[in-house]
Amino acid sequence: MIGGVGVVTIVDVAKHAGVAPSTVSYVLTGKRPVSAETRLRVRESIRLLGYHPHAGARALASSRTNVLALVLPLREGVHLPVVMRFVTSVVTAAREHDMDVLLVTADQGAAGLRRVAVGARVDGFLVMDVGLDDERIPVLRELGRPAVLLGYPAAVKGLTCVDLDFGAAGARCVDHLAELGHRSIGFLGAPGVVYARNTGFAQRTLAGFSAAVMRRGIASTALPVEQRRDAVHAVVATLLRELPRMTALVVHNEAVLGWVVDCLRAAGRRVPDDVAVVAICPDELAEQLRLTSVELPSEVLGRRAVELLMAKLNGQQPPPLTLLPPNLSSRTGFAASAAG
Amino acid sequence: MIGGVGVVTIVDVAKHAGVAPSTVSYVLTGKRPVSAETRLRVRESIRLLGYHPHAGARALASSRTNVLALVLPLREGVHLPVVMRFVTSVVTAAREHDMDVLLVTADQGAAGLRRVAVGARVDGFLVMDVGLDDERIPVLRELGRPAVLLGYPAAVKGLTCVDLDFGAAGARCVDHLAELGHRSIGFLGAPGVVYARNTGFAQRTLAGFSAAVMRRGIASTALPVEQRRDAVHAVVATLLRELPRMTALVVHNEAVLGWVVDCLRAAGRRVPDDVAVVAICPDELAEQLRLTSVELPSEVLGRRAVELLMAKLNGQQPPPLTLLPPNLSSRTGFAASAAG
DNA sequence: CGCCAAAATCGAAGCGCTTCGAACATCGAT
DNA sequence: ATCGATGTTCGAAGCGCTTCGATTTTGGCG
């Protein structure tokens, strides 16, 4: 407490505890053994003086920043609440590994990645919403920094990717409905633009769905859905026309899910009595609408991604692709109330 | 290009350009004049060698990190898309000032602030969702780091706060409706818990609304709304009972806005013909539902907050409270106006 | 009682940058 | 030619931490 609020350095702590600065460092990092007695004394001095290591100095000396970059997508068609939930789970998980999170928005693009990496601002990258032919992947490869991708491109060799197994999710919905006896199942997906830009997860879900209905000889029609109420109305009408005996519907588009149900009811179909709806969406939303669903596990994904990244930072080599198995929750309870 | 991908330091650049390291530094920071000729040569060397200053070293030497902390709320009742939109505008604005953004979630609480500040990880704070008696404020005061708050407590002296003028927003809705001839106006607000925890903006909107209806001698009833469909249904029914001649409704709860409209229609009231609905919500949502609204200007707020923080970092002393005036957009569509 | 390996601690050399006083060059005015 | 004044550039001293070889301490054992 020499200069008032001024910075307490490791030297101050060392003096106060009667040891060398290096010993304090070893107490802090645990990189060399320190006798129990000394460790206790140093800890006490740290507490007493209110010492906090200077992040910049540490980064300079150890070339480790304890910060990871979270690269966010900001394109249209991504569901903001899902992103947000994901972000918070990443921050929480990162803190458990004593890491902070630096936000990089994807509109800064590849240049943003390069800036952050070369400036030694972060130890590694978490890249969200990776498309099938993502421009950021070559940059990431070139930078050679540890990175974990959410979503995955065609060739995952040399990468570390994690995602929900959307193909299995699509199939899981069909299996569930088939077991309930449905023989004619519709599919409503993401907006057309999402399919057009090769986003991977949308295609994979559809592919899983299609393969499953084909395998079981189930009649089906699949359509993309735009995020406008009138568009939803139109597409539901189309579906009911094209697939008149439809008794079940798989929806992979959380933004319009509520409207889809509304439109079905408006068209005189009871949900789930006449049309069983299975959604692929965050649990919370499905819970609210009382729909059977395959969960979009943002929290688990975020946490898993952080853990994979930490593994890489510690020199391990996790598998190039981790797919989380889909988890279907049946919610056949009573139908939703209210408007109709 | 001596050691492959290795780090290019300021010394390498200096050698390559035939100057002293300090000169390179001055070219970079502009803190001392450098002759045009030298400046050009140094810039060229920087480009050629692909030099990027080491953030940690810079922070250590200059005690400036060029990082600001964004402290996010993660409580229930906050509308995630709004937060997300806000986050992205902050990141974008920050980048324009050559700043990066470190995420701190509020659940790390006051301790999180302290850790980040004392470790010299950030230059300043952006604190979201500040309540009337926020526990983080004393910590912020104690830390003495530049900070900008979104939302504001009772006493703003010595702080820098920015927010939408919610009181004016509530009043603006009433004024608009009164001018259209409405004499009986309902108000649906945030969930009860939001009022209970003194969040400020909810109270202020209600206060502005109440004062305006009183001033004009307009009949009114105000109710909180929970985020469940059945709760919305119930509260709309209550409202229609308590205020049978209601011809207009102000809704300050983006999460249930759609349901409110649904419930009104289900109750046989045309919107906006029988009941004119004015929302206080993000423009995008109002646009989608074709409702007249006062915008929740996340983008503008985020940008403004960053600018205020930058001003503080540059030694200026912005006013303790900046209130953005509400902006009402009329969306009467093709339907004729109600009332009258 | 002395010797050696193991355990604990120390000391000094950086990490890459900024900063500040000093040195140097240039030039118009003496 | 000489002298400031002005405009540029240099050199060295840190910033606070980690790291690694060296040194001291400890304790088991001949």
Side-chain angles (χ1 to χ4, degrees):
Chain A
M1 243 187 240
I2 299 163
V5 289
V7 272
V8 182
T9 76
I10 204 172
V11 177
D12 299 327
V13 175
K15 276 185 190 144
H16 186 272
V19 299
S22 47
T23 303
V24 177
S25 177
Y26 291 128
V27 168
L28 249 25
T29 63
K31 297 196 179 173
R32 276 199 191 175
V34 173
S35 73
E37 189 201 2
T38 308
R39 198 182 322 131
L40 242 56
R41 213 170 33 186
V42 169
R43 288 243 170 81
E44 184 60 10
S45 299
I46 289 179
R47 212 181 51 69
L48 243 49
L49 301 183
Y51 167 74
H52 287 256
H54 186 289
R58 198 166 240 193
L60 179 55
S62 67
S63 46
R64 257 276 216 158
T65 63
N66 273 33
V67 175
L68 54 85
L70 177 56
V71 186
L72 285 190
L74 288 180
R75 321 142 136 180
E76 80 175 288
V78 293
H79 195 49
L80 258 26
V82 172
V83 175
M84 197 62 220
R85 224 181 300 278
F86 180 80
V87 168
T88 62
S89 80
V90 164
V91 173
T92 307
R95 284 304 310 140
E96 288 167 18
H97 294 271
D98 200 37
M99 290 265 152
D100 276 304
V101 176
L102 195 75
L103 227 53
V104 180
T105 52
D107 64 320
Q108 298 173 36
L113 293 192
R114 192 172 272 114
R115 187 182 55 79
V116 164
V118 181
R121 240 163 283 254
V122 301
D123 294 332
F125 290 93
L126 241 47
V127 185
M128 276 198 76
D129 195 32
V130 171
L132 284 179
D133 48 0
D134 204 296
E135 56 143 13
R136 295 167 296 182
I137 291 177
V139 182
L140 243 25
R141 286 207 145 99
E142 170 206 330
L143 290 175
R145 286 276 189 299
V148 171
L149 316 191
L150 270 108
Y152 55 101
V156 297
K157 189 160 173 122
L159 301 174
T160 306
C161 306
V162 56
D163 207 352
L164 173 63
D165 189 340
F166 281 98
R172 183 77 184 79
C173 295
V174 173
D175 294 346
H176 173 76
L177 291 168
E179 276 160 26
L180 293 180
H182 296 276
R183 308 300 303 161
S184 181
I185 307 179
F187 182 95
L188 294 179
V193 57
V194 172
Y195 291 91
R197 74 163 175 247
N198 270 1
T199 313
F201 75 93
Q203 277 96 329
R204 291 183 191 115
T205 308
L206 180 52
F209 172 87
S210 302
V213 289
M214 187 143 310
R215 192 165 53 237
R216 292 176 175 268
I218 287 176
S220 78
T221 299
L223 296 169
V225 189
E226 307 307 314
Q227 283 187 25
R228 295 189 328 275
R229 192 157 194 152
D230 54 342
V232 174
H233 193 257
V235 87
V236 167
T238 305
L239 196 57
L240 292 174
R241 182 160 16 83
E242 301 245 318
L243 204 61
R245 331 190 69 148
M246 177 179 82
T247 60
L249 178 58
V250 174
V251 183
H252 183 202
N253 185 329
E254 52 264 316
V256 303
L257 184 54
W259 291 340
V260 168
V261 174
D262 288 347
C263 288
L264 284 172
R265 292 198 172 116
R269 313 291 173 110
R270 288 168 304 166
V271 176
D273 308 73
D274 298 330
V275 178
V277 174
V278 176
I280 299 175
C281 72
D283 242 23
E284 194 188 358
L285 180 58
E287 185 67 51
Q288 212 171 42
L289 296 169
R290 300 222 188 294
L291 294 175
T292 292
S293 72
V294 169
E295 168 188 22
L296 208 61
S298 318
E299 268 91 2
V300 180
L301 272 174
R303 175 163 297 276
R304 190 60 152 278
V306 169
E307 279 157 8
L308 286 168
L309 186 53
M310 292 310 300
K312 292 191 88 168
L313 288 176
N314 294 328
Q316 296 170 46
Q317 192 111 57
L321 184 55
T322 305
L323 287 181
L324 302 186
N327 191 355
L328 187 142
S329 313
S330 191
R331 292 193 187 80
T332 48
F334 358 69
S337 55
Chain B
M1 236 180 251
I2 299 163
V5 289
V7 271
V8 182
T9 76
I10 203 172
V11 177
D12 299 327
V13 175
K15 276 184 189 144
H16 186 272
V19 299
S22 47
T23 303
V24 178
S25 178
Y26 290 128
V27 168
L28 249 25
T29 63
K31 296 195 179 174
R32 276 199 190 175
V34 172
S35 72
E37 190 202 2
T38 309
R39 198 184 321 132
L40 243 55
R41 211 167 31 172
V42 169
R43 288 245 171 80
E44 183 61 10
S45 299
I46 289 179
R47 210 181 53 68
L48 242 49
L49 301 183
Y51 167 73
H52 286 255
H54 186 289
R58 199 167 239 192
L60 178 55
S62 69
S63 46
R64 256 276 217 162
T65 63
N66 274 32
V67 175
L68 52 86
L70 177 56
V71 187
L72 286 190
L74 288 180
R75 321 142 137 181
E76 80 175 287
V78 293
H79 194 49
L80 258 25
V82 172
V83 176
M84 197 61 220
R85 225 181 300 277
F86 180 79
V87 168
T88 63
S89 80
V90 164
V91 173
T92 306
R95 284 305 308 141
E96 288 166 18
H97 295 272
D98 200 36
M99 290 266 150
D100 276 302
V101 175
L102 195 76
L103 228 52
V104 180
T105 51
D107 64 319
Q108 298 173 34
L113 293 192
R114 192 171 272 115
R115 187 182 56 79
V116 164
V118 181
R121 240 164 284 253
V122 301
D123 294 332
F125 290 92
L126 240 47
V127 186
M128 276 197 77
D129 196 32
V130 171
L132 284 178
D133 49 0
D134 203 296
E135 56 143 13
R136 294 167 297 181
I137 291 178
V139 181
L140 243 24
R141 286 206 145 99
E142 170 205 331
L143 291 174
R145 286 274 190 300
V148 171
L149 315 190
L150 269 108
Y152 55 100
V156 296
K157 187 158 176 127
L159 302 174
T160 305
C161 307
V162 56
D163 206 352
L164 173 63
D165 189 339
F166 281 98
R172 182 78 185 79
C173 295
V174 173
D175 294 346
H176 173 76
L177 292 168
E179 277 160 26
L180 294 178
H182 297 275
R183 307 300 303 160
S184 180
I185 307 178
F187 181 95
L188 295 179
V193 57
V194 173
Y195 291 91
R197 75 163 174 248
N198 269 3
T199 313
F201 74 92
Q203 277 97 329
R204 290 183 192 115
T205 307
L206 181 53
F209 172 88
S210 302
V213 290
M214 188 143 310
R215 192 165 53 236
R216 292 176 175 267
I218 287 175
S220 78
T221 298
L223 296 169
V225 190
E226 307 306 314
Q227 285 187 25
R228 295 188 329 275
R229 193 158 192 152
D230 53 343
V232 174
H233 193 254
V235 86
V236 167
T238 306
L239 197 57
L240 293 173
R241 180 160 18 83
E242 302 245 318
L243 204 62
R245 330 190 68 148
M246 177 180 81
T247 60
L249 178 57
V250 174
V251 183
H252 183 203
N253 185 328
E254 53 266 315
V256 303
L257 184 54
W259 291 341
V260 167
V261 174
D262 288 348
C263 289
L264 284 171
R265 294 203 169 110
R269 312 292 172 111
R270 288 168 303 164
V271 176
D273 307 74
D274 298 330
V275 178
V277 174
V278 176
I280 300 175
C281 72
D283 242 22
E284 193 187 359
L285 181 57
E287 185 67 52
Q288 212 172 41
L289 296 169
R290 300 223 184 293
L291 293 175
T292 293
S293 71
V294 169
E295 169 188 19
L296 209 62
S298 318
E299 268 93 0
V300 181
L301 271 174
R303 176 164 296 277
R304 190 60 152 279
V306 169
E307 279 156 10
L308 286 168
L309 186 52
M310 291 311 300
K312 293 191 89 168
L313 288 176
N314 294 327
Q316 297 170 46
Q317 193 110 57
L321 184 55
T322 304
L323 287 181
L324 302 185
N327 192 355
L328 186 142
S329 313
S330 190
R331 292 193 189 79
T332 46
F334 17 73
S337 112

